[in-house]
Amino acid sequence: MSAFIQSNKAAAEGPSLIGRRRLLPRLRSHGGALWRRWRYPFTRRTPLLIETAYNPKTLAAEKEIVDKRPLYWIAGLLVLLVVPPVFGDNSFLSAATVFAIYAAINIVWMLMIGTAGIFSLATLAVVGAAAYTVSYISIHTGLPWWGMIAVSPLVGLLFGVLIAIPAIRLEGFYYALLTVGIADLCREFVLQTQALGAASYGLYGADTYVPKGISERGGLLLSFYAAFVVMLAALALYRMVNGQRLGLLLRTAPEGQEAFAAALGINYRAARIQVFLISSAALGAIGGFYATYFKGASPALFTMDSLLLLLAMIVIGGIGTAEGAVVGTLIVVLFDRVFIGLGPVRLIIIAMIMFGTVLFLRRGLFGIAPQFRAWRDKRRSERRALRTGEGDDIMPEDATQIADKQAIYTQRFDKQLREELKKLVTDELIAEHRRTDGGRRSDALERILTFFRRAEVAGKYAILAEKPFAAYRIVALSGKRGMPPRLVDDQVFATQEEAQHGVFLKRIRDLLDS
Amino acid sequence: MHIDFYYLAVTTVTLASIYGLLAVGISIIWSSLGMINMAHGFTFAVSGYGAWLVAQNISTNGVVVLAGGVLTGMLSGAVIGGLAFVPLYDKPNFAVRSLIATLAIALFGSQCLLWAFGPRVKALPPIFPTGGFKFGTASVSYDRLGAIVCSIVLLLAMLAWMKRSRRGLEIRAMMQNPEGAALVGVGLRSTAIAVMMVTGGLAGLAAVLLSRTYFVSPFAGAIPLVKGIIVALAGGLGSLAGALIAAALLGLVEALTAVGLGGRFVLITQFLVIIIILLIRPRGIAGMLERTRE
């Protein structure tokens, strides 16, 4: 059904002459009009970016999916939704639940770091503060689980306001390091406060959304689906904030270019704080969910190690994208929870992946493709700089811009022929040319002479008889009607045979120089 | 409420000298290398193990154990510099990437320590003789006095070295302008490794001196790291004078809080002080004293 036609979006160097081009499938049937009528609710966005064109040969309507990421998202999320409940045992299922919760946290964190550009490391501190608060309320007032989840965004927002105050004045690393300290402060506070379960190492006993009489497997399944819904909600929030007005405003004000945004009249500080507060409220909500899932909260949320693992997740995937957050979380949780039999080695492996990522990759796993393309372009331009001479092969990049493909082949053939003929040129051959004027010649000499005779007229050498039988000179034809030939040098030959040999020597020199 | 002045003074000086050792290291690394060394805590932990191994296998003499800790710290610093600074310093986005690289090294290192030595804490032999003397109304143990004297002597020695030696000149050149320093022939890599070794040695010293408070364990470095970072932050990253003033100030705050309110509130009051300092001066105390690295 789908015809593959070549598109010249990326001409890469490959074995073929004019370069390997990326093949984009062109789908047949009706054009993109059907898709353009559909919209995501409350937005003007179409579900898929589709370009329509008519095939120049068959005149059939064809469409090309320009941005396939929505398809990848749907496929990936379907796999994540189906694989754990169907193929996983109980421990795998609980690992998948933890994955979904951490993925939700990381997606919201990405809003802070990527969209708002506030490098806050107190993410888990917000989650933990909300989890502790709602657990405490639930234990002491009997607040049901839905009440916990309803209260938790308020707690997150309150905490967000508190840690956003320093962000107004501080920038970059000062703020990041301060938030590390804030997380440590929370840990210390929780560990030393009796009411928050200092002695029992954690505060447990809160209400949970898993009903009482349900089987173990059923409870795990319910937890997993609930956590998955939380992750989807986080993705929707990411989309709504990053993909709409706020995200657009903040994209004009990346770090170091705030002055430009301010000159455009964009209040980027207000937008940043707004995104930060929205994210804090969302983190609080996730904290509330966390508390209802674990029936409480533990001080482990505030430790440096949890922060490290969380950072490893977003660093491996690549800071600034939601897909990076999800895939990074998947990798880290896989090592941390599923390969639990490895012991401390699994954290060592995570650390090594993290280190390798920052050492070699600029923007994590999802930055590999652009980074590779940039590297390839650099290498290509270096090679092109080395290899561009007169009469050389046409480089693949230039080849795409020459309409007459025959010219490219001619030039290539010519180059190969010259390379071959160069090998035939010897002192004996030149002596033979002088000796055998008008007589029988060897095959090698004939081949070279045939090549010379075939040369185009412009620039071809000829003999000018200044004084017949006494003075001959070499000229080069202009190749244009009405334009006289030009003298090549001031050499004067006594006989025509000598002049012919002189022309031969010049041509041999040109051949060897090319 | 009666506040014992002598006790307050002794506690303040002790805390200030220890915080100074850690904060100065973090601050120098930031200003000369442009890197936040989150693996400083790992250097702290691994130096403790180095000193412990020396005490187990070679000698329990205080000086030898101290030397073992300092040497391990220097080695660890050099390794961190070689892994996180040398391959990354000319790459885009260096500041964030080196921060994450040092975090990865910290995670890797602490897990390796856990793997090799197990989770149980180790105790170092006493470095200074037991006993003490009276200072006013406060009693000062020799252990405490030794910690104060050692750290002050080493800090002063390092400051003198930075001021007078050729290497110190190179480091100061790198602090002011790394590109300019490279242009006039200062080897950035070798200077960076030297900086990492010196600061690693300071952290190793702190680890041995603090082994009474933070016993030798794989994760012993976390709390000193956080304290060192917040002190360096309050002082203004990159300023030695600022770090020392902040260390004294936060030591005083900690001592006052411990005497007046109780040990539980130490971190909270410290944080309040730091946040107030940073809200007034976003670049720390040194924001008033000198220009620091952006």
Side-chain angles (χ1 to χ4, degrees):
Chain A
M1 280 301 287
S2 66
F4 282 81
I5 70 163
Q6 284 188 329
S7 152
N8 58 359
K9 272 199 175 155
E13 198 176 24
S16 65
L17 176 71
I18 55 165
R20 190 172 58 242
R21 291 161 169 194
R22 215 157 59 177
L23 288 168
L24 288 174
R26 285 267 162 105
L27 308 170
R28 290 278 197 79
S29 80
H30 59 79
L34 179 69
W35 287 94
R36 261 183 237 128
R37 256 178 260 137
W38 292 4
R39 293 284 189 276
Y40 283 119
F42 313 117
T43 68
R44 292 183 190 170
R45 288 174 199 279
T46 49
L48 276 176
L49 262 183
I50 286 179
E51 243 174 34
T52 319
Y54 291 95
N55 189 317
K57 280 188 183 158
T58 64
L59 297 183
E62 287 176 337
K63 59 180 185 288
E64 182 185 304
I65 303 174
V66 180
D67 187 357
K68 292 194 202 61
R69 279 177 299 179
L71 298 180
Y72 296 145
W73 268 112
I74 291 169
L77 288 176
L78 271 180
V79 169
L80 288 179
L81 182 64
V82 170
V83 168
V86 176
F87 301 104
D89 54 4
N90 283 357
S91 69
F92 189 84
L93 205 53
S94 58
T97 311
V98 171
F99 154 75
I101 293 176
Y102 274 104
I105 293 175
N106 283 331
I107 291 162
V108 176
W109 191 16
M110 214 57 111
L111 273 182
M112 282 187 187
I113 294 186
T115 309
I118 297 177
F119 210 90
S120 163
L121 297 175
T123 326
L124 276 177
V126 179
V127 175
Y132 262 101
T133 312
V134 295
S135 303
Y136 186 80
I137 296 174
S138 172
I139 290 169
H140 289 272
T141 66
L143 189 72
W145 64 268
W146 45 267
M148 288 163 72
I149 294 180
V151 170
S152 55
L154 297 177
V155 182
L157 188 65
L158 203 69
F159 206 72
V161 169
L162 281 181
I163 57 175
I165 292 171
I168 300 168
R169 292 274 292 180
L170 297 180
E171 40 191 65
F173 281 115
Y174 280 79
Y175 188 69
L177 295 183
L178 188 71
T179 48
V180 172
I182 288 175
D184 198 57
L185 176 66
C186 292
R187 187 186 60 86
E188 196 72 19
F189 179 74
V190 163
L191 277 184
Q192 295 195 347
T193 309
Q194 282 299 326
L196 295 179
S200 59
Y201 205 72
L203 183 66
Y204 290 103
D207 191 29
T208 173
Y209 57 83
V210 182
K212 283 262 155 49
I214 200 165
S215 71
E216 195 197 352
R217 179 78 180 173
L220 284 172
L221 277 175
L222 180 67
S223 296
F224 171 69
Y225 288 128
F228 197 82
V229 169
V230 170
M231 187 176 85
L232 289 185
L235 277 173
L237 181 79
Y238 184 87
R239 180 80 187 169
M240 265 162 59
V241 174
N242 188 51
Q244 303 223 6
R245 188 173 170 74
L246 270 174
L248 205 61
L249 287 180
L250 285 170
R251 224 163 295 150
T252 59
E255 184 121 15
Q257 293 175 34
E258 289 95 344
F260 178 68
L264 288 177
I266 291 169
N267 190 353
Y268 66 92
R269 278 177 200 277
R272 276 184 189 171
I273 297 292
Q274 223 172 318
V275 172
F276 190 83
L277 293 182
I278 292 171
S279 317
S280 298
L283 285 177
I286 296 172
F289 180 79
Y290 181 98
T292 57
Y293 171 63
F294 287 105
K295 300 179 194 135
S298 90
L301 273 172
F302 300 117
T303 58
M304 194 84 176
D305 284 357
S306 317
L307 176 64
L308 260 173
L309 276 187
L310 207 68
L311 200 65
M313 292 174 193
I314 64 162
V315 165
I316 291 171
I319 291 177
T321 57
E323 58 263 38
V326 176
V327 172
T329 311
L330 188 67
I331 293 172
V332 173
V333 171
L334 204 64
F335 276 107
D336 191 32
R337 299 278 165 146
V338 179
F339 303 143
I340 205 146
L342 292 173
V345 181
R346 66 191 203 281
L347 286 174
I348 293 175
I349 294 173
I350 292 173
M352 279 160 69
I353 297 176
M354 187 174 167
F355 189 70
T357 311
V358 286
L359 207 56
F360 299 111
L361 303 178
R362 274 176 219 169
R363 299 193 73 87
L365 286 179
F366 282 87
I368 288 181
Q371 195 180 340
F372 172 72
R373 250 176 259 144
W375 173 81
R376 191 182 59 191
D377 287 350
K378 194 178 124 225
R379 293 301 304 274
R380 197 187 278 166
S381 67
E382 283 169 7
R383 232 175 300 144
R384 194 192 310 185
L386 285 178
R387 274 184 55 187
T388 39
E390 185 96 18
D392 267 352
D393 245 0
I394 288 173
M395 298 299 289
E397 299 89 303
D398 305 333
T400 53
Q401 293 167 14
I402 296 173
D404 181 9
K405 303 303 177 203
Q406 186 67 36
I408 301 167
Y409 280 94
T410 310
Q411 192 154 340
R412 187 177 211 209
F413 173 78
D414 208 48
K415 169 135 196 284
Q416 285 176 352
L417 188 60
R418 272 182 280 125
E419 291 300 323
E420 216 172 297
L421 292 179
K422 272 181 198 172
K423 291 181 208 142
L424 301 177
V425 178
T426 55
D427 288 342
E428 290 88 68
L429 190 100
I430 293 167
E432 183 195 345
H433 181 266
R434 182 188 278 279
R435 201 173 59 232
T436 59
D437 183 39
R440 185 183 162 76
R441 280 159 167 170
S442 67
D443 283 358
L445 187 54
E446 279 301 340
R447 275 193 75 184
I448 289 177
L449 287 173
T450 311
F451 174 73
F452 289 159
R453 285 173 197 134
R454 221 199 52 189
E456 60 176 334
V457 173
K460 204 168 187 175
Y461 295 118
I463 298 170
L464 173 72
E466 279 196 326
K467 200 187 260 178
F469 308 107
Y472 296 91
R473 296 187 68 175
I474 298 175
V475 294
L477 302 179
S478 71
K480 283 184 190 145
R481 188 179 290 269
M483 192 185 276
R486 64 185 168 84
L487 284 173
V488 174
D489 52 19
D490 48 7
Q491 238 182 323
V492 181
F493 300 94
T495 64
Q496 195 177 336
E497 287 74 32
E498 256 177 65
Q500 272 172 358
H501 188 65
V503 169
F504 177 76
L505 286 179
K506 276 207 185 314
R507 284 178 177 167
I508 289 281
R509 201 192 57 209
D510 288 355
L511 172 69
L512 291 179
D513 282 353
S514 76
Chain B
M1 186 173 54
H2 171 70
I3 292 177
D4 185 348
F5 174 75
Y6 289 106
Y7 176 75
L8 204 63
V10 170
T11 317
T12 304
V13 172
T14 319
L15 291 169
S17 52
I18 301 289
Y19 288 166
L21 279 184
L22 293 161
V24 161
I26 290 170
S27 214
I28 290 179
I29 295 174
W30 165 254
S31 58
S32 56
L33 273 62
M35 174 171 102
I36 303 277
N37 185 11
M38 297 298 265
H40 213 60
F42 163 67
T43 305
F44 186 91
V46 84
S47 316
Y49 276 101
W52 180 74
L53 282 179
V54 166
Q56 293 289 306
N57 298 322
I58 301 173
S59 156
T60 52
N61 184 330
V63 179
V64 179
V65 173
L66 211 55
V70 171
L71 284 179
T72 321
M74 289 172 88
L75 186 69
S76 158
V79 169
I80 293 166
L83 284 175
F85 180 80
V86 171
L88 280 176
Y89 74 101
D90 51 355
K91 300 266 173 66
N93 218 351
F94 163 67
V96 175
R97 282 167 81 179
S98 63
L99 171 83
I100 293 164
T102 51
L103 276 173
I105 293 171
L107 179 65
F108 179 85
S110 56
Q111 292 298 326
C112 281
L113 286 180
L114 182 65
W115 201 21
F117 295 101
R120 281 186 58 173
V121 297
K122 312 266 192 272
L124 291 183
I127 298 185
F128 302 102
T130 47
F133 63 92
K134 278 281 188 196
F135 172 68
T137 49
S139 63
V140 182
S141 67
Y142 288 124
D143 198 48
R144 210 166 224 209
L145 183 73
I148 295 172
V149 171
C150 268
S151 44
I152 289 178
V153 164
L154 225 86
L155 271 178
L156 287 179
M158 202 202 66
L159 285 178
W161 179 75
M162 291 273 287
K163 221 46 183 191
R164 294 181 190 267
S165 73
R166 179 89 196 160
R167 201 43 120 178
L169 185 69
E170 288 177 359
I171 294 172
R172 281 183 292 135
M174 204 168 149
M175 280 179 172
Q176 283 175 5
N177 186 346
E179 276 172 40
L183 283 176
V184 295
V186 175
L188 291 190
R189 289 174 224 190
S190 58
T191 312
I193 297 289
V195 169
M196 292 300 294
M197 283 175 75
V198 169
T199 53
L202 288 184
L205 180 78
V208 180
L209 293 181
L210 281 181
S211 61
R212 301 272 117 195
T213 322
Y214 303 105
F215 289 101
V216 177
S217 85
F219 304 103
I223 293 168
L225 171 73
V226 170
K227 292 232 167 174
I229 283 178
I230 58 177
V231 171
L233 206 58
L237 283 173
S239 156
L240 294 190
L244 291 178
I245 293 173
L249 188 65
L250 290 172
L252 179 65
V253 168
E254 181 164 341
L256 271 176
T257 316
V259 171
L261 297 171
R264 288 164 48 188
F265 297 97
V266 164
L267 260 177
I268 297 172
T269 51
Q270 270 185 345
F271 255 95
L272 283 178
V273 169
I274 288 167
I275 288 177
I276 289 167
I277 290 176
L278 289 178
L279 281 180
I280 299 168
R281 282 278 154 192
R283 293 215 176 271
I285 294 170
M288 310 176 218
L289 300 176
E290 55 190 283
R291 270 193 66 227
T292 52
R293 188 170 181 139
E294 294 280 312

